[in-house]
Structure formats: C-alpha cells, structure tokens
Amino acid sequence: MHTISQDIPTGRTRRTYSSSFKSELIEQCRQVGVSCSAVAISHGLNPNVLRRWIKDAADSSDAAPPALKSVVVDVKPAFVALPMTVPTPQAPDAAQANVRIDIQRNGTTVSVLWPQLCLSDSAAWVREVLR
C-alpha cells in the first residue's frame, strides 16, 4: 500500500483582517438599502463575523465619548414673594355651637344635635340610650 504524506493542519486556522478592511466593510453596510449579509458574502465572510465587527465598532465609539468642556454658570436663587391672604375663621357663637351624636342600632340611625354648653349631660343620656 502506498500513502502520500501531506501537511494537513491539525487545528482550525483563523483568518485575520486589517482594520482598514474592516472599516471599509462597515461603511458599506451603513449605506441605505445595503444588506450586511450581502456585503459579507460578496467578500467571502460569514455574515455573523461582519455583524460582530459592526457591533464592536459601535461599542468602541460609545466607550470613548468626546471630552466635555466644563462651564461655570452663576446661578442666583429666584425667590419670588407672593402675597397670601389667610382667612380668619369666624368663631361660632357659644350659645349656637352644637355637637352631633349619631347612634346606629338594628338598622336605625338616630342623630342628635346636643348643645355644647350642656355637653356633660349628654354622657348620661348616651348611657341610658345604649342600655
């Protein structure tokens, strides 16, 4: 039996591409109406490789935003005094002030307006009613 020995690579080989080639393909993909897959296939690449290059390019541009210039702004507080009128409550006449007592029993509600001057008598009345 006759065998021919050849140098066959034992592992995977990875192709490398220059950064100018990558940026050229990325710019082609940014054109309106151009498919990333079509650009990748036309250059003999897997479309996923080109999509990863586009993503990496976008990430690197987001990672280094342009340096911002600091600006000093003099801020003065803008307090504006507004006139307010506070209504003074009218004190009710002591003779007319009443306390409302509501009692509910067996579905019936009884409401009583008791004069505030005789409030001590209302406690005895409520005790008798609630017996």
Side-chain angles (χ1 to χ4, degrees):
M1 179 162 144
H2 183 37
T3 59
I4 301 173
S5 66
Q6 293 180 351
D7 292 332
I8 300 174
T10 57
R12 289 183 145 177
T13 59
R14 190 174 287 248
R15 291 189 273 176
T16 58
Y17 301 96
S18 67
S19 59
S20 63
F21 178 72
K22 291 178 183 180
S23 62
E24 180 183 327
L25 292 183
I26 291 169
E27 288 303 317
Q28 287 180 11
C29 291
R30 290 185 179 159
Q31 300 297 321
V32 177
V34 176
S35 166
C36 290
S37 297
V39 172
I41 292 170
S42 68
H43 288 87
L45 291 172
N46 185 318
N48 292 330
V49 173
L50 183 55
R51 286 190 193 101
R52 185 181 54 215
W53 291 350
I54 294 170
K55 182 179 179 251
D56 290 344
D59 289 345
S60 67
S61 67
D62 290 343
L68 298 176
K69 183 173 67 171
S70 64
V71 177
V72 178
V73 178
D74 185 24
V75 178
K76 295 180 184 175
F79 178 77
V80 178
L82 298 176
M84 293 182 58
T85 58
V86 179
T88 56
Q90 298 279 333
D93 188 13
Q96 296 177 353
N98 293 325
V99 175
R100 181 178 173 154
I101 301 172
D102 292 332
I103 299 174
Q104 294 181 354
R105 278 195 132 175
N106 299 329
T108 305
T109 302
V110 176
S111 295
V112 176
L113 292 177
W114 201 279
Q116 190 174 7
L117 294 175
C118 304
L119 202 55
S120 60
D121 297 335
S122 69
W125 179 80
V126 169
R127 265 188 253 124
E128 288 297 319
V129 169
L130 293 178
R131 269 191 186 175

